[in-house]
Amino acid sequence: MLSVTDINGETQSADTQLKVASVSHYIKADEIKDVFSDENVKLKVETKNYNEQNLKKSYQVKLSKLQAPDRIFRSNFKDAVQNLPLFSKEEFIRKFPHDLYDKNDELKNWKSTLVFEKTQQPSTGNQASTTDLDLGKLDAGDYQLELYNIEGRDTIKTSQYFSVWDKNGLKANQKTFLTALQPKTEFSRGDKAKIYIYSSVPEALINIFVQDGSGKTVYDVQKMKNGKLEYAVDIPKDKALSVMNIQFQVVAYNDVQTATVNLKIKDSEQPLKIETTTFRDKLEPNVKEKWSVKVSGNDREKINAEVLANMYDMSLDQFAVNSYTWEKLYRPYSLVTMYDFRDNLLSEYYQQRIRFFNGNYVEVPQFNWFDRNGLIVLQGRASGVNIRGVASPAPPADSAVNTNIEEVVMIGAYAKKREVVAADKVLDKEDLVEKVSVRQNLNETAFFYPDLKTDSEGNVSFEFTSPEALTKWKLMFLAHTKDARAATLEKEVITQKGFSVTPNYPRFLREGDELNLQSKLSNLTVKNLMVLQPYKF
C-alpha cells in the first residue's frame, strides 16, 4: 500500500496484491479443437509470471501421437473404472467389450510415440506478448501437446489432448463413439453450413434434431459412410433468429450419446455508433463551446435519432459511477429442447427414525420493526475521508456560493500584495487587482441536454459555456431511434487554465507563529512568468 501527499495536503492512496510462487512463470496456451488434417495447427502461447505480467521466455515443445485402444468405448461407466480387476483382460473384454478395463484405458494413460520435440523462442517484436506456435499439418489421429520449462528441480508444464480429423473419412486408428465438429466461423443469413460428424460404430444411424429457437424441431435420420457424415443445413433469413441448434444422436451398445452444435448467425444489422465530429478534450474555463456528434448505422442509412448529452464533474464517481445502458424493448425468446439421455444408476435413501416425513416447513415471518427503509444511509469513501451516517438535507445554495466567494476573495487579497512580471511588461498592483475575476460558475454539471434531435444526416450540434472549476469531467451520450436501436459513448474532458496558482493555506494560525506558505504554480503557456516581491507576514 502506498500513500502520497501533495503540497496542498491532499492524500491519495493505492494498494495492490502480489503473488509469490516457487517458480518464475507459468505457460498458457490456447485450446486446440476441431482441427482437420489439411490445415496447419496453430495456437498462441504466453509465458507469464504469477502477477499476470508477460515474459518473453523460450520453452520446450513436445508433440506425441497417441495409440488408441482398438475398441469403441461407451460412456455409461467411464467414471467408474475398476482399480483391482476381478477378471482377466481377455475375459473382461469378452463380457464387456465397450467398457474400460482399468486405468490404462483412460486417455491420459494411452501409449504414445514422439512426433517431434524442439525449443520455441519468444517473439522478437516489442509489442508481441504471445508466441505463435505452428505445429504444421498433422495426420488424422489423437495427440498430446506438452509445453514445459525446467527451473532447477521444478518443472513448469502445461499439456493438452486434441484430435485431428480427415475430411475424407474416419481413420482406422480413431475409435470415437460420436464426434461432431463445431464450425469456427459465423454464417450470414441465407448461407449453407456444413458440419462434419464422425462415428466408428459400424453402419451407424444418426438421429438429427434441427432447431431454430422457435420451438419447432426438424427431425432427420442419416446413415454414416466411411465413419463420416457431411450434414448441410440452410441458415434461416429471419432477423429474429441469432443461433441454430443441431443435435446429433447415436444409439449403440446399450448407450445413447448426443453431440450438440450451435451455429452462430451474423447480425446483418449493424448497431448504432456515436462519434464526435467537433470536440476538444482540454478546455479553458468560462469559454463558450460548440460541439457536434454524428450518429451512424448501416452503410448509406440515414439515422433520425434523439440524443441525450450531459457532462458532470468526474470526481463524483468516487461515490456513485454513472453510466448509460439501454435495454431492448423486445428480446426474441429461444426455445430449444435437449434430446440427450442421461440415465444413471438410481439410488433411494430412507430414514428409519422418521417413517412419515412430508417435507413441509414452517417459515418464520420477518417484520420490518424499525422501518429501515425510511432512512437514507450515506456510505462512501473519498481521499482521506470516510463517510458513514444518515443523509441530511443539503445546505442552501446561497450559503455554498457565499463560501466559495469568500475563498476567492481571500486569494484575491493575497494576490494584491504581489507584483507579477509577464513577458516584458510590469503590471501595477492596482491594475492586477482589477484584472482578478471572481469565479462564479462552479456547477458540478456542465450541461444536460435530454432531447437533442439529429438532422437528416445524423448530425447534431449543441452549445455550452465551460464551468470555471478546474477539474476532470465525464462526457456521456445516449442516442436512440424510434425502432429501439441505441448507442452510448463516454469521453473525458479537462478544464484547465494557462497559468494558475494553488496556495496551500493553513487551517489556523496562532499569534506569533512563523508561516512558510507553499504554493503550486502551473504554467501551460509558452511564456516565461516570474513572481516578484512575495508578501511576508
Side-chain angles (χ1 to χ4, degrees):
M1 183 173 181
L2 178 66
S3 297
V4 178
T5 304
D6 62 7
I7 64 172
N8 298 323
E10 182 179 351
T11 301
Q12 298 285 348
S13 300
D15 59 75
T16 186
Q17 293 182 351
L18 298 177
K19 297 180 180 179
V20 180
S22 59
V23 292
S24 63
H25 66 284
Y26 70 94
I27 303 174
K28 180 181 178 181
D30 291 345
E31 182 182 3
I32 305 174
K33 56 182 180 181
D34 303 336
V35 179
F36 292 104
S37 57
D38 59 349
E39 302 173 348
N40 281 0
V41 181
K42 296 181 179 180
L43 68 156
K44 293 187 179 297
V45 181
E46 295 177 297
T47 54
K48 294 184 175 183
N49 61 21
Y50 283 86
N51 292 301
E52 302 303 324
Q53 295 174 328
N54 291 311
L55 305 175
K56 294 185 178 181
K57 296 183 72 69
S58 60
Y59 52 89
Q60 305 298 316
V61 181
K62 181 180 179 182
L63 181 65
S64 305
K65 188 172 184 180
L66 303 178
Q67 300 176 10
D70 192 20
R71 292 192 294 149
I72 304 173
F73 293 118
R74 58 183 181 178
S75 60
N76 298 38
F77 307 105
K78 276 191 175 181
D79 297 332
V81 182
Q82 55 185 350
N83 293 324
L84 298 174
L86 298 178
F87 301 104
S88 63
K89 187 172 184 178
E90 293 75 12
E91 185 178 2
F92 182 89
I93 294 176
R94 186 174 64 254
K95 292 178 179 292
F96 310 101
H98 304 289
D99 292 326
L100 277 68
Y101 173 68
D102 57 9
K103 298 292 184 180
N104 293 324
D105 287 336
E106 294 181 344
L107 176 63
K108 61 182 180 181
N109 296 321
W110 289 358
K111 296 181 181 179
S112 62
T113 56
L114 181 64
V115 179
F116 65 81
E117 189 171 7
K118 66 176 183 178
T119 300
Q120 182 70 26
Q121 299 296 333
S123 301
T124 56
N126 295 330
Q127 303 297 331
S129 60
T130 61
T131 301
D132 293 327
L133 178 59
D134 190 355
L135 303 179
K137 295 181 180 179
L138 302 175
D139 296 333
D142 301 311
Y143 293 86
Q144 181 186 13
L145 175 64
E146 298 176 90
L147 309 176
Y148 66 94
N149 268 334
I150 298 177
E151 286 188 351
R153 298 182 179 180
D154 297 320
T155 301
I156 305 168
K157 180 180 177 181
T158 180
S159 65
Q160 60 174 304
Y161 299 94
F162 65 95
S163 300
V164 179
W165 307 92
D166 192 337
K167 291 182 179 180
N168 297 321
L170 192 66
K171 297 301 181 182
N173 60 343
Q174 293 178 297
K175 301 296 181 180
T176 177
F177 194 103
L178 174 64
T179 299
L181 302 189
Q182 173 78 39
K184 300 178 182 179
T185 59
E186 293 183 342
F187 297 92
S188 300
R189 304 185 189 279
D191 289 350
K192 185 179 289 292
K194 182 184 292 186
I195 306 171
Y196 288 86
I197 305 99
Y198 297 91
S199 177
S200 55
V201 177
E203 299 182 355
L205 294 177
I206 305 293
N207 299 320
I208 304 174
F209 308 89
V210 181
Q211 302 176 81
D212 58 7
S214 63
K216 299 180 181 179
T217 301
V218 178
Y219 174 69
D220 192 10
V221 178
Q222 298 280 345
K223 187 175 182 179
M224 304 289 291
K225 183 178 180 181
N226 195 19
K228 181 205 68 171
L229 173 65
E230 294 183 25
Y231 188 76
V233 60
D234 294 326
I235 304 299
K237 298 182 180 180
D238 189 354
K239 293 183 179 181
L241 303 177
S242 60
V243 66
M244 285 195 66
N245 177 274
I246 307 176
Q247 301 177 41
F248 303 93
Q249 188 178 87
V250 172
V251 181
Y253 310 134
N254 199 26
D255 188 17
V256 181
Q257 292 191 18
T258 305
T260 302
V261 172
N262 291 314
L263 301 179
K264 297 181 180 179
I265 304 176
K266 293 181 181 179
D267 192 357
S268 58
E269 189 176 75
Q270 296 180 1
L272 291 185
K273 182 176 65 174
I274 306 178
E275 55 184 349
T276 55
T277 55
T278 305
F279 165 76
R280 292 195 303 166
D281 59 354
K282 291 181 175 59
L283 304 177
E284 287 278 347
N286 198 27
V287 175
K288 194 171 184 179
E289 293 284 335
K290 184 177 181 179
W291 290 352
S292 301
V293 296
K294 182 179 180 63
V295 182
S296 58
N298 296 328
D299 294 338
R300 299 181 181 179
E301 181 184 8
K302 295 183 178 180
I303 299 295
N304 291 322
E306 184 174 293
V307 179
L308 165 62
N310 81 306
M311 188 170 74
Y312 69 93
D313 192 340
M314 196 170 180
S315 62
L316 298 176
D317 283 354
Q318 296 186 21
F319 301 98
V321 179
N322 295 285
S323 61
Y324 288 149
T325 58
W326 183 268
E327 296 291 338
K328 290 186 177 180
L329 300 181
Y330 172 72
R331 291 183 178 272
Y333 69 94
S334 180
L335 181 60
V336 175
T337 303
M338 301 304 296
Y339 292 90
D340 192 9
F341 286 85
R342 297 184 181 276
D343 291 335
N344 300 316
L345 296 178
L346 300 179
S347 302
E348 292 185 1
Y349 299 90
Y350 70 98
Q351 174 59 260
Q352 290 182 342
R353 292 175 295 178
I354 307 178
R355 297 184 59 185
F356 305 100
F357 186 69
N358 55 13
N360 294 331
Y361 298 90
V362 177
E363 294 185 1
V364 179
Q366 298 181 359
F367 298 99
N368 190 4
W369 298 102
F370 301 101
D371 192 17
R372 291 187 177 89
N373 293 332
L375 299 178
I376 302 176
V377 178
L378 175 64
Q379 296 185 11
R381 186 173 184 180
S383 301
V385 180
N386 289 327
I387 302 174
R388 184 179 180 87
V390 179
S392 59
D398 293 342
S399 62
V401 174
N402 292 336
T403 303
N404 293 333
I405 291 176
E406 290 179 2
E407 181 182 355
V408 177
V409 169
M410 291 174 60
I411 297 176
Y414 184 70
K416 182 179 179 181
K417 301 173 182 179
R418 290 176 178 264
E419 182 177 333
V420 178
V421 178
D424 56 353
K425 181 180 178 181
V426 179
L427 298 179
D428 186 75
K429 297 179 182 180
E430 299 297 335
D431 295 337
L432 181 60
V433 174
E434 294 178 0
K435 289 182 177 295
V436 173
S437 59
V438 179
R439 293 188 295 172
Q440 300 287 343
N441 184 7
L442 299 175
N443 296 332
E444 295 175 341
T445 301
F447 59 82
F448 181 80
Y449 298 124
D451 55 352
L452 299 174
K453 301 295 192 302
T454 61
D455 57 16
S456 59
E457 300 297 329
N459 298 309
V460 61
S461 301
F462 58 92
E463 297 181 356
F464 69 98
T465 301
S466 59
E468 296 180 85
L470 306 181
T471 184
K472 183 183 292 186
W473 304 85
K474 188 173 185 178
L475 177 63
M476 304 171 63
F477 295 99
L478 168 64
H480 60 90
T481 60
K482 292 183 178 180
D483 56 352
R485 298 167 64 189
T488 60
L489 177 66
E490 289 187 4
K491 286 182 173 293
E492 295 182 2
V493 180
I494 297 176
T495 51
Q496 58 188 13
K497 300 187 68 174
F499 177 76
S500 61
V501 180
T502 307
N504 183 19
Y505 291 114
R507 295 183 179 180
F508 57 87
L509 288 174
R510 296 185 178 91
E511 184 178 358
D513 286 351
E514 181 177 347
L515 174 62
N516 182 14
L517 182 62
Q518 295 180 343
S519 297
K520 182 169 62 176
L521 307 180
S522 299
N523 182 18
L524 302 178
T525 65
V526 295
K527 298 180 180 180
N528 294 325
L529 302 180
M530 184 179 300
V531 178
L532 301 177
Q533 298 180 2
Y535 177 79
K536 296 183 180 180
F537 290 95

